[in-house]
Amino acid sequence: MTRAVDLDFRPEAPAFDANAALGRRHDRRVSVDDAAGLLAEMDRAGVERALVYAPHAAAFDSAEGNAGLLEAIGDESRLVPQFVCNPTFDDLEATAAQIEAAGVRAVRMVPTLHHYPFRSWVVEEWLEWLSARGIPLWLPASYEANWHDGGDLDPHAVHETVRQFPDLTVVLCEVHYVQASWAPPLLRSLPNLSIEVSRYVIVDGIARLLEIVGPERVLYGSRFPEQAIAPQLYHLHRLGLNAADLRAVCGGNLERLLRM
Amino acid sequence: MDSPVIDFHCHAGSWGRYGVDADCDLYLKVMDAAGVDRSCINCIWFGDARRGNDLVMEYVSRAPDRFIGVAFATPHYPEEAVRELERAVHGLGMAYVKIYPDYFGLPNDDPAYFPIYEWIDEQEMAVMCHATYPFDPPGTTIEGRFTALSERFPNVRWVMAHTAGTLDADAAETARTLPNVYMETCSSRTTLGATEFNVERAGEDKVLYGSDMALMDARHQIAKVVTADIPRRAKEKILGLNAIRLLRLDDPAKGGAI
């Protein structure tokens, strides 16, 4: 008999989800779209906190979506807001003021959805500001919607741009197995790049990531509510990690990046 | 959990395009860590089905108590298909049949597959394939497709790969209404509520756990069932008891006692 399946699984390490969305989508009804529902699912999975962004901020209007996110979160300390920014149209000064006023600790940019090259001649000013403030940047490897096919994030652009900002922490997120060809070498080449693993389900893929970049740069995320919260957490607990590394990947790294 | 865990959907062989090696040791390591007792493995990578089936047997020979061979058949070579199935099933002891119509460019209800199904029907075996295809004619429904197939080949047990990893009401209804149709769980997505949805609609006896190893990690895929909000008994059935019943693995006469 092999090691048993654990039907009573609860995470051993405090879990902090690095990739969740909160709020309604315009293109379909998701099964959980409010804070109460998200918190209930987090409780069921044993997740303590989640970094959340608003789908509306990505799909339509960052300012409106970000404001709605703060409203949806209210005073719930288990939900940590992440603002979506569009550096081509958003005003940096105004956005910076909103970020600082709300105490936002992480930003997400979606070049594939917002139709811009992730090049310094587009994003330089924003990355300088984020770098100076110590605010990490999330970059989804693609953005899936039933009305949009923007393709994959351009890894060469990420490489060339991120290397110019060595003090900025960038988190590559939602990396699917079809992107497993370029994600590991990109991580290897950029010491300030981390990876969120909600979609990284290729066989032994996370173990290989850990070999390449070490446990400090791998972050648990769920991609809720498109995906369930617990499965990737269960997977991480089956990798044979020592307690310190498991703690780091499940939430400690995110806590550190957000300076919490 | 005391009952056996059977992974119904696995592939043998290397898939360099995704960095997947033909590594039996890694396979067993992941199975151990996931808690999988036995994996049903096929090899669909080769136009020469015999070559793939022989490769499967290398895994089975290496760990006969851990791997269950699954035969691949392709209508690209109709003159070989049934002969190779005879060899794979009756000669090598493979437990069911895997087809991959995506490679053929025609869906699984195309008559080109009928000689293969006729043979499977005679053996009263299971066959696994996708339920829908990018080249399906407009208006195709899963229920219509599998109703027609079930009527024509009543002794075949149909396993719709990946469907239990989705929220596809058509697939779930098909499994609920057709006694010989089953759903399988693997998907690169971990769609919220998919396991619960399919257990509720199709029934806990109609869902089989599969991982898509060695592309996807069994430790992740099994978690969709392990962490689902369904009764414990349903989990035990999905994780192994349903596969044991479907493949008659508890029947020593079939040579597959578990």
Side-chain angles (χ1 to χ4, degrees):
Chain A
M1 198 65 170
T2 57
R3 181 177 170 181
V5 168
D6 182 5
L7 294 185
D8 303 309
F9 170 75
R10 298 296 288 176
E12 292 166 16
F16 191 171
D17 187 340
N19 186 19
L22 175 61
R24 292 189 178 187
R25 292 182 64 110
H26 72 287
D27 55 348
R28 63 181 177 274
R29 182 171 183 161
V30 294
S31 32
V32 177
D33 60 15
D34 62 12
L38 170 55
L39 289 165
E41 284 293 319
M42 288 165 61
D43 287 341
R44 201 176 74 75
V47 169
E48 293 183 0
R49 288 175 292 174
L51 180 67
V52 293
Y53 75 97
H56 186 84
F60 279 102
D61 187 87
S62 47
E64 206 170 280
N66 293 334
L69 176 73
L70 295 177
E71 196 179 316
I73 290 174
D75 57 2
E76 178 51 63
S77 61
R78 294 173 65 195
L79 303 179
V80 179
Q82 179 183 55
F83 272 13
V84 176
C85 297
N86 181 344
T88 58
F89 294 119
D90 291 349
D91 180 77
L92 174 56
E93 204 172 311
T95 307
Q98 290 159 1
I99 285 173
E100 289 184 346
V104 169
R105 296 169 182 272
V107 159
R108 172 180 294 238
M109 290 181 182
V110 198
T112 55
L113 179 63
H114 294 160
H115 307 293
Y116 61 86
F118 191 75
R119 296 283 185 178
S120 56
W121 47 269
V122 180
V123 297
E124 182 176 23
E125 207 182 2
W126 284 76
L127 300 197
E128 277 174 358
W129 184 81
L130 292 170
S131 185
R133 291 288 186 280
I135 297 175
L137 171 66
W138 265 237
L139 282 177
S142 60
Y143 185 89
E144 283 190 356
N146 55 22
W147 51 278
H148 163 85
D149 181 11
D152 291 357
L153 186 67
D154 177 357
H156 184 61
V158 174
H159 179 264
E160 294 305 302
T161 303
V162 170
R163 68 195 296 209
Q164 295 173 44
F165 298 89
D167 296 327
L168 173 69
T169 297
V170 177
V171 177
L172 189 62
C173 62
E174 311 207 356
V175 183
H176 190 260
Y177 67 71
V178 298
Q179 292 140 347
S181 50
W182 55 257
L186 189 65
L187 284 156
R188 200 183 286 118
S189 70
L190 295 169
N192 53 334
L193 185 68
S194 295
I195 182 168
E196 175 275 322
V197 295
S198 57
R199 300 196 73 189
Y200 211 75
V201 300
I202 197 163
V203 68
D204 218 30
I206 294 179
R208 283 183 273 167
L209 284 177
L210 290 166
E211 281 173 21
I212 293 168
V213 301
E216 298 83 12
R217 291 161 61 193
V218 177
L219 280 68
Y220 156 69
S222 70
R223 198 166 170 259
F224 185 87
E226 307 300 323
Q227 300 188 163
I229 292 178
Q232 195 61 290
L233 204 50
Y234 184 90
H235 180 191
L236 291 169
H237 280 69
R238 292 277 156 158
L239 293 177
L241 300 178
N242 64 45
D245 290 352
L246 185 63
R247 230 183 141 80
V249 173
C250 289
N253 291 337
L254 178 58
E255 199 170 45
R256 188 188 73 248
L257 293 186
L258 301 181
R259 299 189 295 179
M260 297 183 78
Chain B
M1 194 177 94
D2 295 328
S3 56
V5 176
I6 311 287
D7 189 335
F8 203 82
H9 186 159
C10 297
H11 303 284
S14 59
W15 199 359
R17 184 151 61 96
Y18 293 121
V20 173
D21 295 328
D23 184 343
C24 195
D25 290 333
L26 174 65
Y27 227 111
L28 291 165
K29 183 191 93 171
V30 174
M31 285 169 63
D32 285 345
V36 172
D37 294 296
R38 300 183 78 179
S39 291
C40 301
I41 48 169
N42 63 68
C43 182
I44 59 174
W45 308 154
F46 300 102
D48 181 356
R50 183 183 182 99
R51 183 174 172 190
N53 291 335
D54 284 345
L55 195 149
V56 164
M57 289 312 295
E58 290 177 22
Y59 283 62
V60 175
S61 303
R62 170 86 186 278
D65 58 333
R66 305 299 302 280
F67 292 115
I68 296 169
V70 176
F72 175 55
T74 170
H76 275 302
Y77 296 91
E79 69 278 19
E80 298 174 6
V82 168
R83 192 170 68 238
E84 175 55 17
L85 284 175
E86 284 280 355
R87 184 186 79 94
V89 171
H90 296 307
L92 303 176
M94 293 187 167
Y96 72 92
V97 177
K98 168 72 175 173
I99 58 171
Y100 206 87
D102 307 67
Y103 296 158
F104 192 56
L106 291 167
N108 69 311
D109 50 2
D110 187 85
Y113 278 98
F114 287 2
I116 292 171
Y117 295 154
E118 281 163 12
W119 186 87
I120 298 170
D121 193 64
E122 286 168 14
Q123 319 305 311
E124 301 184 6
M125 291 184 79
V127 60
M128 181 167 73
C129 59
H130 295 173
T132 58
Y133 303 91
F135 38 78
D136 275 340
T140 299
T141 66
I142 296 173
E143 189 169 11
R145 163 169 289 160
F146 282 91
T147 298
L149 286 169
S150 296
E151 286 171 358
R152 188 175 187 116
F153 305 103
N155 299 312
V156 175
R157 281 157 285 145
W158 310 89
V159 179
M160 302 184 294
H162 308 295
T163 51
T166 70
L167 303 171
D168 188 330
D170 185 12
E173 181 64 9
T174 303
R176 186 186 72 79
T177 56
L178 297 175
N180 280 3
V181 177
Y182 297 78
M183 312 177 82
E184 180 270 326
T185 60
C186 73
S187 166
S188 67
R189 299 165 193 276
T190 326
T191 303
L192 178 63
T195 305
E196 294 87 340
F197 175 91
N198 290 301
V199 166
E200 184 185 337
R201 297 211 177 194
E204 63 192 38
D205 295 323
K206 287 302 196 77
V207 180
L208 305 162
Y209 157 64
S211 70
D212 222 349
M213 280 271 287
L215 178 60
M216 293 188 278
D217 200 300
R219 293 167 290 200
H220 175 265
Q221 293 294 314
I222 202 169
K224 288 189 274 191
V225 181
V226 171
T227 65
D229 190 11
I230 56 175
R232 193 178 188 91
R233 185 60 180 166
K235 293 180 185 180
E236 291 172 347
K237 287 182 175 180
I238 295 167
L239 290 173
L241 298 178
N242 290 343
I244 289 171
R245 192 184 75 247
L246 179 63
L247 299 179
R248 302 181 184 114
L249 295 176
D250 52 356
D251 180 1
K254 294 284 179 185
I258 188 163

